[in-house]
Each structure stands twice: as structure tokens, then as C-alpha cells.
Amino acid sequence: MIDVNAEIGKLDWSREPQGLYEPIGYTLAAGGKRVRPQLALLATKLFGGNEEDVLPAALALEVFHNFTLLHDDVMDKAQVRRGRPTVHVKWNANTAILSGDQMMIEAYKLLSQVPENKLATTLRLFNQMATEICEGQQYDVDFESRTDVTIPEYMEMIRLKTSVLLATALKIGAYIAGATEEQQEQIYNYGIHLGLAFQIQDDMLDCYGDQATFGKAIGGDIAENKKTYLWLTAAQKGAIDELAMREESMTQRFERILAIYDRLGVKAAAQEAIRLQTNQAINCLDALPQNQYTDQLRAMAHKLEERTK
Amino acid sequence: MIDVNAEIGKLDWSREPQGLYEPIGYTLAAGGKRVRPQLALLATKLFGGNEEDVLPAALALEVFHNFTLLHDDVMDKAQVRRGRPTVHVKWNANTAILSGDQMMIEAYKLLSQVPENKLATTLRLFNQMATEICEGQQYDVDFESRTDVTIPEYMEMIRLKTSVLLATALKIGAYIAGATEEQQEQIYNYGIHLGLAFQIQDDMLDCYGDQATFGKAIGGDIAENKKTYLWLTAAQKGAIDELAMREESMTQRFERILAIYDRLGVKAAAQEAIRLQTNQAINCLDALPQNQYTDQLRAMAHKLEERTK
């Protein structure tokens, strides 16, 4: 199997003007689990395709994902990403904007290297995904100033913001390997459900995770009064006034909100939602060829329920 | 001939989430001369091609151009664009970043509609152009904090930042119409020289233009001590210390700098540079089929020397 990290390491960013390319190299060198390119390669192999054919698109997906993180960090004024200062902190906001723009273009440059007879469709799938991520980000912003967000609206937002990229990675891998449209659809839907489960799990870990393992500060969502799956579940159960910000320390707030969640069975509801999405993801695999790669996707979904970081 | 403004007007931005798409519609509705799509269409007709085939790419070029203006305005903290508040002023910086990102994706969506057998090369030309614009923008930023910028470096920066988009519009139009590689190269070089002449003329108008006709405040470059063709020519002639900012009113500074330019013959040098680029542009047309469209390109270059806005 192609080593995705090694392939990303081969991309050369020691170009002029350094002010443009250095932040791109810095961003990509931060690591991460490279889930999206791995999924694209895995989907290709599941359908008996050639990894080399899908590699440019796989790398494009990873570069695009990291571009979205870079611009999101500017918009969120995030200080730290993967344990290191964010680009707009290490350099400045203008650098983060411009290098981010160039990163998106680099994604399209990688994409342009997929086999020519597969290019038009791959480009369309990629564009659709890119659009949906921006839409998801906008809904996320819109939700900040709304108190009437429903759980279905939230699920749609995280579908756009998180799931679609995973699903599209799988679908592009399947498409390039020559999977049928029905198969492409099934593996895409697996990715959608997996992403939803992942995001709800992420919301959970912010409350119930272990800081050292999770890799980011616990309680960040609560401190910001962010509308997570947990927040919305509690709100739906009538706790909306209690969830509002009060004059209290962050520790007090964290403990107070956790007590509300405990009282209302919010954790159990979130776990149930994760189980539901995980099962739906696994069910999508039934219609696909059964081999070690389908098994890997199944294992990935099961493992997600137990993930701690 | 296809009405580019009408085609841009047909693009529908009344989609959800409004916060994402409204600023895109606002930006594209501001008008402008639509030079880049016009050049793409004109190049296609010059080589006997079908306007419809190149239209998606022509629109992609215009949308991409407007995306660069949107993000540049955020980075420059510009308040006004084409007589209206910029997006980050009317909305906010985050909106300008995210809607700008989506605008770039929209450009690629339009591009994906070019005839499939022309897509791979068109995408590569477009990506190369997009990269060079970001590089040009980065050099422009780098130049702000340097005092040793040379005129050749400046010419390379404006080639990247301004010329390459015009040149690529022409080349894509020519390529899609089936022009030979040699012809594509010639029309591309015409665009390069035209862009250089245009940018030096732009620098001139900031000093010697008529505010009402030019459409933006005169003397803005001088007020900001921007390294324009005029500034660099004066610096090269030994006036670098005199050009620096002093304790003086903006009017005083404007008059003082203009007096330096007069003394050193800077205006004449810039006019000569424009004439040189214009002639080089026109010379590139000799190797192309001679018809009404080549005549139009020739007239465009001549007219540029007399442009006042």
C-alpha cells in the first residue's frame, strides 16, 4: 500500500516566493491521520483498481482538507493546531489567507494529474465536495447567532462540513477504480454516516475525553457555548436557559453544564446517535464486494465508537 | 458575439446559505470591463473557434479575477471597490474570506464545463495562471518591506500579478479553438506585454490621471509610498532618500514627489516603457491569422496608450 505520509513529504515547498510556500509546507508537515487520502486509496483497492491512478486525487483531498483548516483557523482566531502555532499566529492573517488560497490551487493542480479519461467526473465530484464544505462552514457560523437550531439542522451542517469530504474521498477512489454508480453511492453513504458518527464522537470527547489523549483542551465547546450535538440535545430537552453563559468561572461552567447533561441523559443520547450512524455506515457496505478492504472499513466504523482522540 | 455581462448576470446566487452566496453576487454585480472573458472569446473567434465552447472558461476567468480582488481587498484593508463598500466592510473579514474561497471553487465549477477533450489542458493552464497570480501578490507584499527592488523585479511581479491572467485568457481561447502551440504562445505573449503596459499606465494614472475619469483617488500610491514603476524609476535615478515619507501633509507630499518625477523625467520614462510594451504586444500579432479580431487586439493595444481610466 502506498505510504501517504511519504507521498505528502515528497511534495516540495522550498520554492520562491518563500512567503507563499513556506506556510503550506509548515501546514502539511503537521501530520494528522491522513484519513481522507487513506480512504481514497482503500476504496480504489476495494474495487480492484490501481492505487497509482487515484494517488493524485488522494493527495488533492488531503491538501484541500488542510487548506480548510488553515482558513478556518484564521476565521476562528485559533491559536494552536496539532500542538503548534497556527499559520496566522506564526506569520500573520494575510499570509494565512494568501497561502491558503495557493493551497487550494495546489489541490487542483494535484487533481489535474488523475488519468485524463477520469478527470471531468473527478473534478465535478471534487468541486461539489468543496462547495458543500464552504456551505457547512457558513451554516456553522450562522448557528452561532441562532438559538433555535434543531438537531436535524445540526446533522445537515456536520454532513456538509465533515462527512462530505470523507464520502467524496471514498467515492472518487471507487469511481477511478471503475465501480458502478450504485456502488459509488453506497460507499459514499458509508462515508457520510461515518463522518456523522465521527463528529458526534468529537463533541463527546470535548466533554468526556481525556485531555492528554484527545490532544486538545477539554471543555472548549462548553467554554464557548458552542452548539454541539450535546448542547442541542440538552436544549431540546428544555435546558436552553440553563445552558446560557453566566457569571461563573470556566471550571464552574464546565461542571454545571456536565451536571445538566448527566441529569438529562445527554451522554447516552449521543452514544445512541453514534451507534445509529455507525450501524448505518456498516449497512452500506453490504452491497459492496466483500474483501479485506470492506473488512477494514467495517473495523474503522466499529473502532470509531471507541475512539478517544 | 456573446454578451459577457448578460452571461455573468445569468449566474444565480440566490442560494442558501445566503451568507455565503450573497457576497459573491454582490461582487460580480459591481461590473468592471470584463476584459478577461472578452479576450478569451475574441481569441477563440480569431482562430475560427466556437464561442460557446470557450464560454465556461471565459466566465471562470472573470469569477477568478473577482475572487482575487475580494481577497486582495481584505489583505489591503481596502474600503471601496468600484465605488461601493468592499465585502469585508459591508459584511466582515470572515465573510470575505469564506465567500472568496467559494468564489474560487465556483470558477473551477465553471471551468469543469469546457468540452471534455479540452478539459485537462485548460485546467492545467488555469492552475498555472492561478498559481502565478498568488506568487505575484506575494512578491507585491514582499516588496513593501524592501528598498532595493529593481525595475526588472517589478516587471516580473506585475507580469505575474496582472499580465498572466490576460495572457491565459487569450491562450485558453486560442487553445480551445484549435490554434497551434506556436500561435497560442504568440497570443499569450501579446497578453503579457499588454498587461505590463496596462499596469505601468495604471501607475501613471495614479499620478497624472483625472480623478473623476479614473474612478479612484489620485495620488493613492504616493500617499502609501508604494513602489510603482514611477517610484522605482526615480529611485534608480538616485532619488531614493527624497522619496521616503516625511512630516508633511498628503498634498505637500504629492506635490513634492511630482516635482521629483518632473525633475528626473520619470513620466517620459514610463511613457517610453508603455510604448515599448505596446509595440512588443503588437509585434506578437504578426504571426497570427489576420482578421477583424487581430485588428481589434491591435486597436486595444493602441488605445491603451491613451487610456485615462
Side-chain angles (χ1 to χ4, degrees):
Chain A
M1 172 137 176
I2 288 177
D3 178 345
V4 171
N5 255 316
E7 294 297 326
I8 288 165
K10 281 185 207 163
L11 303 173
D12 179 20
W13 307 107
S14 59
R15 270 178 276 164
E16 293 290 340
Q18 282 182 26
L20 183 66
Y21 292 110
E22 230 176 50
I24 299 179
Y26 175 82
T27 301
L28 288 171
K33 293 188 283 288
R34 315 295 192 197
V35 174
R36 294 148 193 88
Q38 306 275 16
L39 287 176
L41 295 175
L42 201 152
T44 280
K45 288 188 297 183
L46 195 155
F47 293 102
N50 181 353
E51 276 186 302
E52 295 291 341
D53 289 346
V54 84
L55 182 62
L59 297 176
L61 290 157
E62 182 66 12
V63 172
F64 188 87
H65 171 59
N66 279 274
F67 143 71
T68 66
L69 300 180
L70 206 174
H71 272 194
D72 280 6
D73 284 343
V74 183
M75 295 188 263
D76 296 344
K77 299 191 172 31
Q79 302 295 300
V80 176
R81 163 77 59 188
R82 292 172 182 150
R84 307 186 314 163
T86 48
V87 169
H88 68 100
V89 168
K90 191 174 160 71
W91 285 271
N92 55 58
N94 283 359
T95 295
I97 295 171
L98 188 62
S99 291
D101 290 345
Q102 181 54 30
M103 241 175 134
M104 197 205 294
I105 297 162
E106 295 290 343
Y108 280 103
K109 282 165 89 169
L110 287 161
L111 202 66
S112 74
Q113 295 165 29
V114 305
E116 209 164 309
N117 62 336
K118 302 283 186 180
L119 180 60
T121 299
T122 305
L123 179 59
R124 270 175 224 126
L125 292 172
F126 193 94
N127 285 337
Q128 176 68 18
M129 170 279 289
T131 292
E132 292 184 338
I133 288 177
C134 287
E135 290 179 353
Q137 171 68 9
Q138 182 64 45
Y139 283 120
D140 199 11
V141 170
D142 291 346
F143 288 0
E144 282 173 28
S145 53
R146 283 181 50 194
T147 51
D148 60 347
V149 178
T150 64
I151 290 180
E153 282 181 306
Y154 178 75
M155 297 295 278
E156 172 62 4
M157 184 274 283
I158 62 177
R159 184 185 74 81
L160 294 167
K161 198 173 162 173
T162 303
S163 289
V164 157
L165 183 44
L166 301 170
T168 301
L170 291 157
K171 185 167 179 175
I172 286 178
Y175 165 70
I176 290 182
T180 68
E181 286 197 16
E182 167 67 17
Q183 289 170 328
Q184 289 172 44
E185 212 46 38
Q186 292 293 341
I187 203 162
Y188 181 91
N189 288 335
Y190 163 87
I192 292 294
H193 292 297
L194 189 80
L196 295 176
F198 182 92
Q199 187 57 51
I200 300 170
Q201 184 70 285
D202 212 63
D203 291 353
M204 286 274 284
L205 289 171
D206 184 80
C207 276
Y208 303 107
D210 171 62
Q211 184 147 340
T213 325
F214 189 37
K216 49 185 171 184
I218 297 300
D221 293 343
I222 289 179
E224 290 175 29
N225 199 21
K226 206 166 178 335
K227 292 176 191 81
T228 64
Y229 191 87
L230 307 177
W231 192 101
L232 291 164
T233 304
Q236 192 194 34
K237 289 172 186 281
I240 191 156
D241 293 336
E242 282 180 273
L243 294 167
M245 300 295 271
R246 288 185 192 169
E247 288 236 359
E248 61 192 339
S249 74
M250 277 307 127
T251 317
Q252 282 173 326
R253 177 171 170 80
F254 186 67
E255 283 167 11
R256 187 171 65 78
I257 300 295
L258 241 61
I260 299 169
Y261 288 176
D262 284 348
R263 194 183 79 223
L264 299 173
V266 165
K267 187 179 181 181
Q271 280 171 327
E272 181 52 32
I274 293 168
R275 199 169 307 116
L276 182 71
Q277 294 301 332
T278 309
N279 287 341
Q280 288 189 272
I282 290 167
N283 287 343
C284 294
L285 301 174
D286 290 347
L288 305 186
Q290 300 301 310
N291 53 37
Q292 57 167 303
Y293 305 108
T294 342
D295 289 343
Q296 275 186 44
L297 291 178
R298 223 171 255 116
M300 206 178 284
H302 283 302
K303 210 172 139 191
L304 193 140
E305 284 188 73
E306 294 129 37
R307 99 177 164 105
T308 52
K309 60 178 182 173
Chain B
M1 173 138 178
I2 288 176
D3 179 345
V4 171
N5 255 316
E7 294 298 326
I8 288 164
K10 279 186 208 163
L11 303 171
D12 181 19
W13 307 106
S14 59
R15 272 177 274 162
E16 291 292 337
Q18 281 182 28
L20 183 66
Y21 292 110
E22 231 176 47
I24 299 179
Y26 175 81
T27 300
L28 288 172
K33 294 189 281 288
R34 314 295 192 198
V35 173
R36 292 146 195 88
Q38 305 277 15
L39 286 177
L41 295 176
L42 201 150
T44 280
K45 288 189 297 183
L46 195 158
F47 294 101
N50 183 353
E51 277 186 303
E52 295 292 341
D53 288 345
V54 83
L55 182 62
L59 297 177
L61 290 157
E62 181 66 13
V63 171
F64 188 87
H65 171 60
N66 279 273
F67 143 72
T68 66
L69 299 180
L70 206 174
H71 272 193
D72 280 4
D73 284 343
V74 182
M75 295 188 263
D76 296 343
K77 300 191 171 31
Q79 301 296 300
V80 175
R81 165 76 60 187
R82 292 172 180 150
R84 307 185 316 163
T86 47
V87 168
H88 68 102
V89 168
K90 191 173 160 75
W91 284 272
N92 55 58
N94 283 359
T95 296
I97 294 171
L98 188 62
S99 292
D101 290 346
Q102 181 55 30
M103 240 175 134
M104 198 206 293
I105 297 162
E106 295 290 344
Y108 280 103
K109 284 166 90 169
L110 286 161
L111 203 66
S112 74
Q113 295 166 28
V114 305
E116 210 163 307
N117 62 337
K118 303 282 186 180
L119 181 60
T121 298
T122 305
L123 179 59
R124 272 176 224 131
L125 292 173
F126 193 93
N127 285 338
Q128 176 67 18
M129 171 279 292
T131 293
E132 292 185 338
I133 288 178
C134 287
E135 292 180 351
Q137 172 68 10
Q138 183 63 44
Y139 283 121
D140 200 11
V141 170
D142 291 345
F143 288 0
E144 282 173 29
S145 53
R146 282 180 52 193
T147 50
D148 60 347
V149 178
T150 64
I151 290 180
E153 282 182 307
Y154 178 74
M155 297 295 279
E156 173 62 5
M157 184 274 283
I158 63 177
R159 183 185 75 81
L160 295 166
K161 196 173 165 174
T162 303
S163 288
V164 157
L165 183 44
L166 301 169
T168 302
L170 290 157
K171 186 168 180 175
I172 287 178
Y175 165 71
I176 291 183
T180 67
E181 286 197 17
E182 166 67 17
Q183 289 170 329
Q184 291 173 42
E185 213 44 41
Q186 292 293 341
I187 204 162
Y188 181 89
N189 287 335
Y190 162 88
I192 292 294
H193 291 298
L194 191 81
L196 294 177
F198 182 92
Q199 188 56 52
I200 301 171
Q201 184 70 284
D202 213 61
D203 290 354
M204 286 274 284
L205 289 170
D206 185 79
C207 277
Y208 303 107
D210 172 63
Q211 183 146 342
T213 325
F214 190 38
K216 50 185 168 184
I218 297 299
D221 293 342
I222 289 178
E224 290 175 29
N225 200 22
K226 205 166 180 330
K227 289 174 193 83
T228 64
Y229 191 86
L230 307 178
W231 192 102
L232 292 164
T233 304
Q236 194 195 31
K237 289 173 188 280
I240 193 158
D241 293 337
E242 283 181 273
L243 293 168
M245 299 295 272
R246 289 186 191 168
E247 288 237 357
E248 62 193 339
S249 74
M250 277 308 128
T251 317
Q252 281 172 325
R253 177 171 169 81
F254 186 66
E255 283 168 11
R256 188 171 64 78
I257 302 295
L258 241 62
I260 300 169
Y261 289 177
D262 284 348
R263 194 182 79 222
L264 299 173
V266 165
K267 187 181 181 180
Q271 279 171 328
E272 182 51 33
I274 294 169
R275 199 169 308 119
L276 182 71
Q277 293 302 331
T278 310
N279 286 340
Q280 288 189 273
I282 290 168
N283 287 344
C284 294
L285 301 174
D286 289 348
L288 306 185
Q290 300 301 311
N291 54 36
Q292 56 167 304
Y293 304 108
T294 342
D295 289 344
Q296 274 185 44
L297 292 178
R298 224 170 256 120
M300 206 177 282
H302 282 303
K303 210 173 142 193
L304 194 139
E305 285 189 73
E306 294 128 38
R307 98 180 166 102
T308 53
K309 59 178 183 175

